[in-house]
DNA sequence: CCCGCTCTTGCAAGCGTGTGCAATGGTTTC
DNA sequence: GAAACCATTGCACACGCTTGCAAGAGCGGG
C-alpha cells in the first residue's frame, strides 16, 4: 500500500545505454555531456517518467533549494500578499518556499528555524516574531542565510529589510496638518511589533516637535476588530480627535467603519484617517483609505536577490521608503 | 563563504560514546534505546547543535514530510485562509507545507506536480487549476497522494473535497424569494472554475424550476474589480435586478460597493446580495454580507486526515455543506 | 608519427540517514 | 542451574545522487 515506485537514474542509464554519471550530468546545468548522450538520456527519462530526486541532490550539495518562510497570521491581507510576492520570486530562481506558520511566541519561531535547519533550507525569511539569538547564531554557523522583514532588530549576519516607518509617520503628521486637523490620535494594537511601534514613536515625536498633542491608544491584535474598539475609545473622548493615524490598514478599516456607521461621522470632513500597508481593501470604494504603500514586490526582490547573490558585506540592512497613496480619507489631497 | 558546517550523527555518537545507530534510534520514535543512552545522546546533540537531516531521512524512507500546496492568486482572502488552515493542520502531524503558486494555466500546475515529485512530497493539495491526467497518473504511480479542493473533477485515486454548491445555490434562491425579490441575477467571473460554475448552474436551475428568470453576467477574474464591472452591467439594465447572487464574496463586495456608492441604492431595501466564502471582509460593517461559509478548518482537517490515514477506499469524494450566514444584505433575515 | 590538448565518459567514493541481522547481557521461568 | 526470552547495541548495507579523477577518443601541429 505504501510502496512507492520511483524510477532512479540507474534505470534511465540502463535504458539509454550510458553510465549513471551521464544521467546525472544531463540534469546538472553546466556539466560536460555530448549532445548525443544528452538526447538519449532525455528520451529514456521521458519514457520512464524520471525526475531527479531533490532530496538526494540536496544531500550531496548540502543545499536543498528550500527557503523557509516563517510567518504568523498569514491570512491577513498584507502578509498574504508578501508571501505571494516572495514565493513568486523564489520560484523564478528555482527555489521553493516552505511555509511555517507560528503563533506569536518567539519559541515557535525558534522551532521553525530548527525545522529549517533540519531540512537544510538554503535560507529562512522571518516575517513575524523574533528568534532567540542562540538560534540565529546556529543558523549562521549552519550557513543558513537569514532575512528579517520589518523586525527592526539587529542580528549578526542577517539581512534586515525595513521601511522608513518613522519618516513615513512624520509625513502623516504633515498631511494631517495640511488638512487643518489639530486634535490627533494614533491607533495601535498592543502586540508591540517593532515596525508598528516605530510608526507610533515617529508620529508622536513629530507631533512633539510641532508642539501638538497626540492621543495614543492601543488594543488587541492587529486586526479589524481592534480598530473597531480603538475607534470607540477614541471617538468617545471629550475632545474628539479630528485625525487618526492607524498603525495598519486593517485597524484603519475598523476605525473608518466604526466612525461612519456607529458614530455617523463624515470622512474626511469630520475625521481624517491614514493607514499603513496599502492592502487591497484600502482601495475599495467603501474605504478609499489614504495610506502608505508597502512595496511588497520590491521587498521580495531584495530578499531573494540577497539569498542568491552572496552579500557584499555579509550582514546588511536595507531601508525602503513607503510612498503615501492619496485617497479620500484625508481632506485636501 | 558557502561552506556550511553541519554536525552529523557520527559526531554526536563519538561525543556520547555510542554507535551512530544509537543516535539514529534516539531520534526515531518507537525505536529501541535504553533510557541511559538516550539521555547521553540527547545531551551530546544539544551541546553540538545537532539536527537530524530530514533530506537524508527522507531519502531513506522515500518520504520527505513535505506536502505540496498548489495554488494561484494566493493573496486572495479565501485562499489565504485555506492555506493557513491547511498548513496549520499539516504542522500538527509533523509535516510541512511547500508552497507553489501557479498562474491559471494547467501547464504550470503540471510543473508544480513534477516539482512535488522531485522533492518526493508525501502529497500534493491542489487549490487551483487542474493537472493533466498523465501527470496525476504519474503521481499515483509514485505513491503521491493527491487532494483536489473545489475542483469538482474526477481523478483516479485522488481525494476530492467539494461543497454542495448546487444545493447552496438553491437555498440562495429561496432566501431571495422569501425577501420578495423577483428579478434575479447571477454575477460570475469568466474563469470557469468548476465550483463557481456549479453555483451558477445550481442557481439557474433552481430558478428555472421555480419558473423565474435569472440574468447571468460574467466578467474578468474572480476579484473585487470584476464585481464593480458586473454591478455596472447589471444595474443599468432596463429591468434592474432586485437580487444578485455572486459566485464569490470578492465579487459581492465589488457589487455592493458599486450599488451603494455609484448607484445610490439602499441595501437590502432596494437590492439584496448574497455571496459565497464568508471571507473576513464580509463581516465588516461596510458590507454585512449574507453569504455561504466555506468551512476552511473542516476542509483542511479532512484533507490532512486523508493524507496521514490511508484511505478506506482509495479514491474518495467528500462533499461538505456550506452554511448560510445571515447578515444584513438580504431582507428579512 | 608522436606529443599535447580538449571533450567526453565511466568508476568509485562519498553525502547522512534508517534498519535488518546477529551478538551481547540480563532477567524470568521451570 | 539451564533454557528461553527480551531489551539493547553495533555492524554494515542501502537510499539516489554528485563529482573528482583518470582513462579513452579525436585532432591538429610539429
Amino acid at each position: 500500500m505504501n510502496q512507492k515506485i520511483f524510477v532512479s537514474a540507474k534505470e534511465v542509464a540502463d535504458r539509454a545505454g550510458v553510465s549513471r554519471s551521464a544521467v546525472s550530468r544531463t540534469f546538472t546545468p553546466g556539466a560536460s555531456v555530448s549532445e548525443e548522450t544528452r538526447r538519449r538520456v532525455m528520451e529514456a527519462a521521458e519514457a520512464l517518467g524520471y525526475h531527479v530526486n531533490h532530496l538526494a541532490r540536496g544531500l550531496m550539495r548540502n543545499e536543498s533549494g528550500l527557503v523557509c518562510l516563517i510567518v504568523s497570521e498569514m491570512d491577513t491581507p498584507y502578509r498574504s500578499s508578501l508571501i505571494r510576492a516572495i514565493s513568486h520570486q523564489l520560484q523564478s530562481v528555482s527555489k521553493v518556499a516552505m511555509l511555517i506558520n507560528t503563533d506569536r511566541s518567539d519559541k515557535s519561531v525558534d522551532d521553525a528555524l530548527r525545522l529549517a535547519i533540519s531540512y537544510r533550507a538554503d535560507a529562512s525569511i522571518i516575517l513575524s516574531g523574533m528568534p532567540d539569538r542562540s538560534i540565529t547564531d546556529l543558523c549562521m554557523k549552519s550557513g543558513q542565510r537569514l532575512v528579517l522583514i520589518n523586525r527592526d532588530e539587529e542580528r549578526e549576519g542577517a539581512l534586515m529589510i525595513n521601511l522608513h516607518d518613522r519618516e513615513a509617520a512624520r509625513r502623516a503628521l504633515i498631511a494631517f496638518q495640511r488638512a487643518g486637523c489639530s486634535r490627533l490620535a494614533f491607533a495601535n494594537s498592543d502586540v508591540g511589533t517593532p515596525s508598528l511601534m516605530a510608526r507610533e514613536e515617529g508620529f508622536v515625536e513629530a507631533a512633539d516637535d510641532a508642539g501638538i498633542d497626540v492621543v495614543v491608544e492601543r488594543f488587541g491584535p492587529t486586526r479589524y476588530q481592534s480598530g473597531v474598539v480603538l475607534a470607540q475609545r477614541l471617538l468617545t473622548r471629550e475632545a474628539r480627535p479630528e485625525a487618526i493615524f492607524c498603525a495598519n490598514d486593517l485597524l484603519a478599516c475598523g476605525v473608518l467603519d466604526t466612525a461612519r456607521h456607529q458614530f455617523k461621522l463624515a470622512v474626511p470632513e469630520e475625521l481624517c484617517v491614514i493607514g499603513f500597508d496599502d492592502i487591497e481593501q484600502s482601495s475599495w470604494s467603501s474605504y478609499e483609505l489614504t495610506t502608505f504603500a508597502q512595496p511588497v514586490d520590491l521587498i521580495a526582490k531584495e530578499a531573494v536577490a540577497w539569498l542568491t547573490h552572496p552579500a557584499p558585506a555579509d550582514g546588511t540592512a536595507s531601508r525602503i521608503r513607503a510612498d503615501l497613496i492619496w485617497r479620500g480619507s484625508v481632506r485636501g489631497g
Side-chain angles (χ1 to χ4, degrees), chain A residues 94-106:
Chain A
S94 306
K95 297 201 180 299
V96 30
M98 239 176 68
L99 190 61
I100 302 187
N101 50 10
T102 64
D103 51 41
R104 295 214 59 82
S105 75
D106 290 346

Side-chain angles (χ1 to χ4, degrees), chain A residues 253-276:
Chain A
C253 286
V255 166
L256 271 176
D257 274 347
T258 307
R260 280 185 177 133
H261 304 135
Q262 190 171 335
F263 292 88
K264 309 296 179 200
L265 293 176
V267 176
E269 293 79 8
E270 301 173 274
L271 177 72
C272 291
V273 177
I274 295 183
F276 208 110

Side-chain angles (χ1 to χ4, degrees), chain A residues 46-181:
Chain A
E46 193 68 32
L48 268 55
Y50 170 75
H51 293 262
V52 177
N53 186 332
H54 276 51
L55 298 176
R57 168 177 286 182
L59 180 58
M60 273 301 299
R61 298 208 180 138
N62 240 335
E63 185 180 288
S64 59
L66 298 170
V67 171
C68 191
L69 296 190
I70 300 174
V71 50
S72 70
E73 294 175 308
M74 44 168 283
D75 51 350
T76 254
Y78 160 64
R79 291 277 170 70
S80 63
S81 65
L82 186 51
I83 293 174
R84 193 184 93 97
I86 293 176
S87 70
H88 185 77
Q89 284 296 324
L90 287 174
Q91 282 173 243
S92 75
V93 295
S94 306
K95 297 201 180 299
V96 30
M98 239 176 68
L99 190 61
I100 302 187
N101 50 10
T102 64
D103 51 41
R104 295 214 59 82
S105 75
D106 290 346
K107 162 92 168 51
S108 69
V109 176
D110 291 356
D111 289 344
L113 275 177
R114 267 189 248 276
L115 195 59
I117 292 182
S118 288
Y119 275 104
R120 299 301 186 258
D122 298 345
S124 293
I125 302 180
I126 300 184
L127 310 183
S128 313
M130 198 65 194
D132 195 84
R133 177 156 268 122
S134 67
I135 306 282
T136 58
D137 286 350
L138 183 59
C139 284
M140 291 302 103
K141 216 172 58 185
S142 307
Q144 177 150 165
R145 308 189 104 76
L146 209 57
V147 179
L148 307 170
I149 297 182
N150 272 339
R151 309 328 296 151
D152 220 333
E153 194 175 329
E154 190 88 30
R155 275 294 185 281
E156 215 74 34
L159 170 65
M160 299 172 300
I161 301 182
N162 289 288
L163 299 185
H164 282 117
D165 293 298
R166 291 188 142 75
E167 186 262 345
R170 298 195 96 86
R171 278 187 285 149
L173 181 80
I174 295 174
F176 284 151
Q177 286 181 305
R178 294 248 171 93
C181 305

